[in-house]
C-alpha cells in the first residue's frame, strides 16, 4: 500500500484537475468519490480496461436491493465466474496485480481456487463501500465545522478522526449477513440451535456504551478506539488498508485543492441512496 500511494495520488489528481478546470459547482460523488475507488481497485486487482465497466456493473448490482435477490444473485454469479476464469488464466503470470498473485498461488498449491476466489470477490466489491463511506464522512465534515477544523488544522491527528468516523458512521443500511449456527450453542442463557440464523450487528457494537463512553458523540480524540468497522480476527477486512488509503487521500486532496469547499445545496436537500445495502449520499453537490 505504501508503494501504491504515489500512483493513487496521481490518479486522484487527474480527476480533481478536471473538476477544477470545469469550475464549480460539481457533484463530488460523480466526479471523485465514485470513479477514484473503482479505478484504483481495478488497477490493483488487474482488471483489464475492456472489462471494467461490466465488472463495476456487477459490483453495483450486488450491493443494491432494487432488483431483488434474483438480480443480485445473477450479478454475483457473473462476477465470481469472471473472477474464477481470470485467476485460472493467470496461473503462469509473474505480474504483481492481485489476480496474477492469486493465479500463481493457486498454481503453486498455496491456495485452493475456492479460497482465491473468496479472497478476490470482497476486494473487488470493496470500491463501492469506499465511495459511500467516504461520502458520509465528507457530508459530516461539510456540515460539522468543528470536525472540518480538526481535519484541516491537525494533520498529525487525522488517523484518530478517521477511526472515530469509521466507528460512528453506520456502514450498512441493515444488520448485514446472517451466520448459520453449525451446532447447538448456549450463550448467556439463550439456546442457539444448529441451523439457526444469527445476525451480529457490528453497527450496534460500535455504539456499545460499555466500550465507548458517550457513543453517540463524535470524539476525534477518542482513545482507545477498538471499533469493528472492518470486522475483527480472522474475518478482518482484507482491503482495510487500501480503504483507509483511498479515504484519507480523497478527503485530504478535496479540501486542499478546492478551497472553501462547501455544499451547494442545504444539507437537508442532499439526496441519499435508497434500496441498497450500503448507506451513503447519492449525490453531493458542492461549490468552492
Amino acid at each position: 500500500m505504501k508503494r501504491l500511494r504515489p500512483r493513487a495520488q496521481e490518479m486522484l489528481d487527474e480527476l480533481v484537475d478536471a473538476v477544477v478546470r470545469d469550475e464549480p459547482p460539481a457533484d463530488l460523488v460523480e466526479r471523485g468519490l465514485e470513479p477514484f475507488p473503482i479505478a484504483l481497485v481495478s488497477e490493483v486487482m488487474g482488471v483489464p480496461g475492456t472489462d471494467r465497466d461490466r465488472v463495476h456493473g456487477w459490483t453495483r448490482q450486488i450491493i443494491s436491493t432494487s432488483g431483488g435477490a434474483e438480480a443480485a444473485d445473477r450479478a454475483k454469479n457473473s462476477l465470481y465466474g469472471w473472477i474464477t476464469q481470470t485467476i485460472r488464466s493467470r496461473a503462469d503470470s509473474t505480474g504483481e496485480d492481485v489476480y496474477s498473485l492469486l493465479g500463481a498461488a493457486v498454481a503453486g498449491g498455496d491456495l485452493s481456487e475456492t479460497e482465491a476466489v473468496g479472497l478476490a470477490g470482497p476486494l473487488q466489491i470493496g470500491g463501492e463501500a469506499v465511495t459511500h463511506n467516504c461520502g458520509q464522512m465528507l457530508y459530516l465534515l461539510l456540515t460539522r465545522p468543528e470536525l472540518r477544523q480538526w481535519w484541516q488544522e491537525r494533520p498529525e491527528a487525522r488517523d484518530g478522526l478517521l477511526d472515530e468516523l469509521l466507528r460512528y458512521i453506520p456502514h450498512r443500511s441493515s444488520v448485514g449477513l446472517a451466520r448459520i449456527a453449525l451446532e447447538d450453542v448456549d450463550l448467556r442463557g439463550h439456546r442457539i440451535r444448529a441451523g439457526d440464523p444469527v445476525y451480529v450487528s457490528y453497527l450496534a457494537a460500535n455504539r456499545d456504551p460499555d466500550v465507548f463512553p458517550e457513543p453517540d458523540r463524535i470524539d476525534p480524540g477518542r482513545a482507545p478506539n477498538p471499533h469493528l468497522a472492518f470486522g475483527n480476527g480472522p474475518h478482518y477486512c482484507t482491503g482495510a488498508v487500501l480503504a483507509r488509503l483511498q479515504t484519507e487521500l480523497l478527503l485530504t486532496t478535496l479540501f486542499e485543492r478546492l478551497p472553501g469547499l462547501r455544499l451547494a445545496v442545504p444539507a437537508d436537500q442532499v439526496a441519499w441512496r435508497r434500496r441498497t445495502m450500503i448507506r451513503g449520499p447519492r449525490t453531493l453537490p458542492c461549490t468552492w
Side-chain angles (χ1 to χ4, degrees):
M1 290 303 101
K2 288 180 180 178
R3 293 200 306 272
L4 177 66
R5 188 182 183 93
R7 172 58 181 152
Q9 185 70 67
E10 179 185 6
M11 295 172 70
L12 180 56
D13 284 340
E14 290 176 2
L15 291 169
V16 179
D17 286 345
V19 171
V20 172
R21 186 169 57 248
D22 292 344
E23 300 184 340
D27 173 10
L28 293 187
V29 172
E30 178 187 25
R31 301 296 301 273
L33 271 61
E34 183 172 60
F36 172 60
I38 298 302
L40 186 59
V41 166
S42 294
E43 184 162 310
V44 169
M45 297 298 291
V47 180
T50 53
D51 288 338
R52 291 187 180 184
D53 284 345
R54 62 172 178 159
V55 168
H56 179 36
W58 290 327
T59 59
R60 179 181 287 173
Q61 184 61 60
I62 287 169
I63 68 164
S64 173
T65 60
S66 60
E70 291 184 2
D73 282 344
R74 283 196 302 271
K76 186 174 182 179
N77 290 336
S78 296
L79 175 65
Y80 277 71
W82 180 89
I83 289 173
T84 301
Q85 292 302 319
T86 301
I87 289 173
R88 288 175 181 173
S89 72
R90 300 190 189 179
D92 299 321
S93 176
T94 57
E96 291 193 347
D97 61 271
V98 172
Y99 287 124
S100 293
L101 294 172
L102 290 175
V106 172
D110 297 318
L111 285 177
S112 70
E113 184 175 272
T114 300
E115 288 173 322
V117 172
L119 280 168
L123 282 171
Q124 189 67 64
I125 298 168
E128 303 284 348
V130 171
T131 292
H132 306 306
N133 265 10
C134 191
Q136 294 189 78
M137 291 185 186
L138 188 56
Y139 176 85
L140 278 173
L141 292 172
L142 291 174
T143 55
R144 300 277 293 271
E146 75 282 6
L147 298 179
R148 176 177 180 159
Q149 183 177 4
W150 179 287
W151 180 270
Q152 292 187 288
E153 295 182 358
R154 304 182 66 173
E156 77 287 350
R158 284 174 184 163
D159 279 347
L161 177 53
L162 189 57
D163 273 316
E164 180 67 345
L165 292 176
L166 285 165
R167 179 198 70 82
Y168 178 84
I169 288 172
H171 171 62
R172 289 183 176 270
S173 301
S174 58
V175 175
L177 303 174
R179 271 63 178 178
I180 309 300
L182 298 180
E183 58 187 49
D184 290 351
V185 178
D186 289 311
L187 184 64
R188 296 190 178 182
H190 296 277
R191 167 60 62 94
I192 301 171
R193 300 189 181 280
D196 282 351
V198 179
Y199 289 92
V200 181
S201 175
Y202 64 85
L203 305 183
N206 279 344
R207 299 288 185 98
D208 183 350
D210 291 339
V211 179
F212 304 103
E214 297 184 77
D216 295 328
R217 181 173 69 89
I218 301 176
D219 177 5
R222 189 182 297 276
N225 193 343
H227 66 78
L228 299 178
F230 291 118
N232 190 43
H235 295 285
Y236 190 77
C237 176
T238 313
V241 179
L242 177 59
R244 289 185 70 108
L245 169 67
Q246 294 175 93
T247 301
E248 188 263 319
L249 285 178
L250 274 165
L251 295 177
T252 300
T253 302
L254 289 172
F255 279 119
E256 287 180 352
R257 296 286 308 278
L258 306 177
L261 183 64
R262 60 193 183 276
L263 290 176
V265 298
D268 61 1
Q269 292 183 20
V270 170
W272 289 77
R273 304 176 75 236
R274 296 288 184 267
R275 300 180 64 81
T276 181
M277 290 190 294
I278 300 180
R279 203 173 166 271
R282 183 161 50 83
T283 61
L284 210 52
C286 289
T287 188
W288 55 94

